[in-house]
């Protein structure tokens, strides 16, 4: 066949079409996959958090699951010292959020936390009394009156350690009718009428609404609790754990915490 300019042009066009079709058939690896299939988070993250974080972390977890379809946040709330014991004994946690640095330090010293924990909030004590305030509590010193039934957290729990700090700073020694393992248990004693007063956090009083009356006292500034959060070293989903921590320390999580009465870290 005689090769003409027309034939050459036709051959070039045909070659280009063939190359284009071949390219569409092979493409680059993963080109046909959706972005969510290649970069989305998935799986379950188990978060062990201080009892005082129940309302805020429940809200943050719901937002996290909505932002990351295919993920699930499992929450376990208790006193920080109890959570430390559970994690130390091998409980399957991915994230630990403590109500103080002392309990977080126990896990970091035992090399059970990966990296450096991030501080994400602060909190201070407030006196919670029944709405009618039957014992006429008006100050921290009033809690030491012999006829006042006061409930506090146990010393190993962050709210209990904070109570001891205030006692030492003021020289006012309390004689509680009971010491509870979490701040929510203290609040429960007050709301049920079993106690005239309880030492809880500002955030707990706010969350309780009209179930209790809150009494601020200036000495609370002697014991400001800082809340740290970190990834548990034995976590099987550290990427998801880090993503949840980012949600807590990010702008949305910080707004939830601030709205609940927590202070900035």
């Amino acid at each position: 066949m005689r090769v003409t300019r027309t034939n050459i042009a036709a051959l070039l066009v045909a070659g280009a079409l063939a190359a284009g079709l071949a390219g569409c058939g092979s493409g680059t690896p993963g080109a046909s996959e959706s972005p969510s299939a290649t970069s989305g988070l998935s799986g379950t993250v188990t978060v062990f958090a201080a009892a005082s974080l129940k309302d805020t972390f429940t809200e943050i977890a719901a937002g996290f699951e909505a932002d990351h379809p295919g993920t699930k946040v499992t929450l376990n709330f208790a006193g920080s010292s109890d959570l430390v014991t559970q994690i130390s004994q091998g409980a399957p946690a991915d994230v630990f959020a403590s109500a103080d640095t002392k309990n977080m330090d126990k896990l970091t010293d035992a090399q059970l936390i990966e990296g450096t924990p991030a501080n994400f909030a602060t909190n201070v004590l407030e006196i919670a009394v029944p709405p009618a305030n039957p014992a006429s509590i008006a100050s921290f010193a009033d809690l030491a009156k012999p006829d006042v039934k006061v409930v506090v957290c146990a010393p190993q729990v962050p709210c209990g350690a904070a109570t001891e700090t205030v006692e030492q700073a003021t020289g006012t020694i309390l004689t509680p009718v009971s010491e509870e393992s979490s701040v929510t248990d203290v609040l429960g004693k007050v709301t049920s009428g079993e106690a005239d007063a309880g030492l809880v956090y500002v955030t707990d009083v706010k969350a309780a609404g009209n179930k209790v009356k809150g009494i601020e006292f200036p000495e609370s500034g002697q014991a400001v609790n800082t809340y740290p959060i970190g990834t548990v070293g034995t976590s099987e989903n550290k990427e998801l754990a880090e993503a949840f921590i980012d949600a807590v320390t990010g702008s949305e999580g910080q707004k939830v915490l601030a709205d609940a009465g927590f202070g900035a870290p």
Side-chain angles (χ1 to χ4, degrees):
M1 180 179 73
R2 180 184 177 189
V3 178
T4 65
R5 290 182 180 179
T6 301
N7 289 338
I8 291 174
L11 290 171
L12 289 173
V13 171
L17 288 171
L21 291 172
C24 291
S26 58
T28 56
S32 62
E33 298 180 14
S34 64
S36 60
T38 58
S39 61
L41 297 168
S42 63
T44 298
V45 58
T46 301
V47 179
F48 279 34
S52 54
L53 295 166
K54 184 174 182 179
D55 289 345
T56 52
F57 268 41
T58 298
E59 183 176 347
I60 291 172
F64 183 84
E65 291 176 346
D67 289 341
H68 303 286
T71 66
K72 179 175 176 56
V73 181
T74 299
L75 300 167
N76 177 33
F77 298 105
S80 297
S81 58
D82 288 342
L83 296 175
V84 167
T85 299
Q86 293 173 28
I87 294 172
S88 298
Q89 293 178 348
D94 298 300
V95 174
F96 174 51
S98 175
D100 67 351
T101 55
K102 181 179 179 181
N103 278 288
M104 179 63 80
D105 288 345
K106 292 177 183 178
L107 293 185
T108 55
D109 291 346
Q111 298 183 337
L112 292 175
I113 295 294
E114 185 167 290
T116 302
N119 295 332
F120 66 93
T122 56
N123 216 346
V124 294
L125 294 175
E126 186 170 0
I127 302 169
V129 299
N133 193 9
S136 300
I137 303 298
S139 67
F140 184 79
D142 286 344
L143 300 178
K145 293 178 179 179
D147 58 339
V148 173
K149 294 183 291 184
V150 61
V151 178
V152 301
C153 290
Q156 67 270 22
V157 183
C159 59
T163 298
E164 285 193 334
T165 298
V166 175
E167 288 181 277
Q168 293 167 6
T170 62
T172 301
I173 305 304
L174 307 182
T175 306
V177 293
S178 70
E179 295 181 342
E180 304 298 323
S181 61
S182 73
V183 70
T184 51
D185 290 337
V186 173
L187 192 65
K189 293 286 187 180
V190 178
T191 57
S192 66
E194 297 178 62
D196 296 320
L199 277 167
V200 298
Y201 294 118
V202 170
T203 52
D204 296 299
V205 172
K206 185 172 183 177
N210 59 11
K211 293 181 180 179
V212 298
K213 177 181 179 181
I215 299 171
E216 297 179 355
F217 57 100
E219 300 92 339
S220 65
Q222 300 287 335
V224 179
N225 278 16
T226 297
Y227 286 55
I229 187 170
T231 300
V232 179
T234 55
S235 169
E236 296 183 356
N237 199 340
K238 292 179 180 177
E239 182 182 12
L240 196 58
E242 291 296 333
F244 183 81
I245 291 174
D246 288 343
V248 172
T249 59
S251 59
E252 292 184 8
Q254 289 296 292
K255 184 180 185 305
V256 171
L257 290 160
D259 289 346
F262 285 92

